Amino acid sequence: MKRRPGFPLVLSGPSGAGKSSVAAWLLDNEPGAMLSISCTTRARRGREAEGIDYFYVGESDFLARRDRGEFVEWALVHGNLYGTPASFLDQRIGEGKVVLLDIDVQGAMQIRARRKDAVLIFLMPPSLAALEERLRGRHTDAEDVIERRLKAARREMATAAAYDYVVVNHDLETTRETVRAIVTAERSRAARMLSDEYVDEEPILAAARMEPPAQGEESR
Ligand code: 5GP
């Protein structure tokens, strides 16, 4: 049976904007949403698991994969290499999944250029003061780390104009619903509804391919 294709969904935003809680909620509440698992050269942290958080690979392995064109995008982030495997993305999208990509802005811009089907959402904190408060509220980072994150946040927010949607995260519940509404609307985009892969499942859509009746013919 032919299925409506899914799409890659990039959710970006500075650290502290609420990205991870929106992403986790979407994965739990949006049927058909799933997370893309990247390859990285960084070391595994604490509770992380191979194949769940990342695929952990050595640098030469990563570079060989990159040279074979296995990544739909890749970037050097804080001294480590990260890449999104293309085969997983294509397979899941073919199955109708909305594949969530938690990638940095360099990666998002590569997806923008290479995947016409991608949907990009930028999540903004309500203000720089609120962002600072959230970063400090975690009580996990040293002052210089917080300063670095704030500087990075300003740089990242300057790229928001290249996204399809910008959502200001004033309150988490409204933000979640807005992101879900975007996903719902994107599923109904004409280009997806009328893709050759989908018509079988919704036979009425074949009407969109028919010749319209000649003028005056409807009244006969
Ligand atoms: P972490 O090492 O803390 O898990 O991630 C560090 C940064 O790398 C985050 O901003 C995350 O979004 C980004 N990242 C994770 N996977 C990928 C990927 O496959 N491609 C790109 N471009 N960035 C990634």
Side-chain angles (χ1 to χ4, degrees), residues 22-90:
V22 172
W25 182 85
L26 200 65
L27 291 171
D28 282 346
N29 292 279
E30 177 63 30
M34 62 177 307
L35 194 63
S36 161
I37 302 164
S38 301
C39 286
T40 183
T41 59
R42 89 149 159 73
R44 201 167 62 80
R45 288 190 198 127
R47 294 221 181 115
E48 290 180 348
E50 165 76 18
I52 293 178
D53 297 284
Y54 285 105
F55 295 105
Y56 302 90
V57 299
E59 191 170 318
S60 57
D61 188 10
F62 187 99
L63 295 174
R65 288 179 197 221
R66 182 199 63 181
D67 294 345
R68 288 197 296 267
E70 291 181 19
F71 298 130
V72 57
E73 64 75 35
W74 68 275
L76 181 68
V77 187
H78 309 312
N80 295 300
L81 293 161
Y82 295 84
T84 301
S87 58
F88 178 89
L89 195 65
D90 288 336

Side-chain angles (χ1 to χ4, degrees), residues 91-125:
Q91 188 187 332
R92 299 308 187 187
I93 285 167
E95 291 168 3
K97 305 281 192 219
V98 173
V99 184
L100 193 59
L101 273 62
D102 174 359
I103 60 177
D104 81 323
V105 293
Q106 310 169 67
M109 292 305 98
Q110 293 173 54
I111 294 285
R112 166 90 298 163
R114 292 192 194 141
R115 298 284 309 217
K116 296 298 164 231
D117 59 341
V119 176
L120 281 75
I121 303 177
F122 196 95
L123 203 58
M124 285 271 188

